[in-house]
Amino acid sequence: MATPTISGEVALLVGQGYPDDKGQNIVRLHRETFQQLDVPPGMPVEITGEQTTVATTKPMKKADRNPATIRMNGFIRENAGVDKGECVSVQRFVGGPDADTITFNRTTPDEVTVTLPETNLEDLGVEARKVIHRQVQNRLLTLGDVVPVQPDDGGKAVLLTVSDTQPEAPVYITDSTEIILGESDQT
């Protein structure tokens, strides 16, 4: 089955992510899709549904034989504004400057379709910025992305939304990126 390609973009049907990928910024692609996009595994792609987000790629398991499918977890579906069974446009992601700063606010129920756990930033502890930084480092994030952050004590994840990036673009989080918490979320 051939996957439709339009000017460097591939249209793919959204499928359930693998349990091992839960909470990670990983999408799974078929080997034919990697070839069509000219993207090796481990490289990021831009995914566009109602919204656009960026995620790192990994190969599908061999039992997955449909090249017209992209597997992604609920957070990536949320960030792309799609649900299982809907179509997204996928293309090679080029660039992505290092972030000088990234600002997070606690995700509110009206911002997402996923059920929010009853958690607060205080659940991340007194060093919330360090906990957040450690979990988003080496990751590409874009404005509006919802990010689960797991407390060090193994409690329920706190969901944060990217509310600003400097520079303004999908940005790569480095060890020198400053993590800023929105005014209502100061810890």
Side-chain angles (χ1 to χ4, degrees):
M1 171 190 260
T3 305
T5 303
I6 304 166
S7 65
E9 295 182 19
V10 178
L12 299 172
L13 198 61
V14 175
Q16 175 71 39
Y18 296 146
D20 296 349
D21 298 341
K22 185 177 180 182
Q24 298 183 54
N25 200 38
I26 294 171
V27 294
R28 300 286 184 144
L29 301 175
H30 190 274
R31 62 182 165 74
E32 289 180 24
T33 306
F34 281 110
Q35 292 170 348
Q36 287 179 316
L37 293 171
D38 192 27
V39 173
M43 295 304 294
V45 291
E46 183 176 278
I47 305 153
T48 304
E50 287 185 26
Q51 297 144 201
T52 298
T53 192
V54 179
T56 302
T57 58
K58 281 192 173 183
M60 286 182 169
K61 295 180 180 176
K62 291 189 193 275
D64 261 332
R65 297 184 184 194
N66 186 351
T69 299
I70 182 171
R71 296 205 171 271
M72 60 179 79
N73 65 43
F75 289 107
I76 298 172
R77 290 193 306 269
E78 182 74 36
N79 292 339
V82 295
D83 205 350
K84 292 179 279 187
E86 295 182 345
C87 194
V88 292
S89 172
V90 180
Q91 64 184 352
R92 174 184 213 137
F93 180 75
V94 180
D98 291 352
D100 296 324
T101 63
I102 187 163
T103 304
F104 292 97
N105 285 313
R106 186 171 182 284
T107 305
T108 59
D110 61 322
E111 294 176 302
V112 294
T113 59
V114 295
T115 303
L116 293 178
E118 294 198 22
T119 56
N120 293 303
L121 262 167
E122 294 78 32
D123 295 333
L124 296 177
V126 295
E127 306 232 346
R129 284 181 186 80
K130 288 182 182 177
V131 172
I132 296 165
H133 193 264
R134 187 173 57 249
Q135 292 186 36
V136 299
Q137 189 170 338
N138 301 323
R139 193 168 159 178
L140 281 160
L141 293 172
T142 192
L143 189 65
D145 277 356
V146 175
V147 180
V149 178
Q150 190 71 38
D152 286 340
D153 67 5
K156 290 182 182 178
V158 175
L159 297 185
L160 302 175
T161 300
V162 176
S163 58
D164 188 44
T165 64
Q166 292 302 317
E168 290 184 20
V171 292
Y172 185 74
I173 311 305
T174 68
D175 59 351
S176 62
T177 300
E178 180 185 359
I179 303 296
I180 300 172
L181 301 177
E183 280 188 36
S184 63
D185 296 327
Q186 293 294 324
T187 300

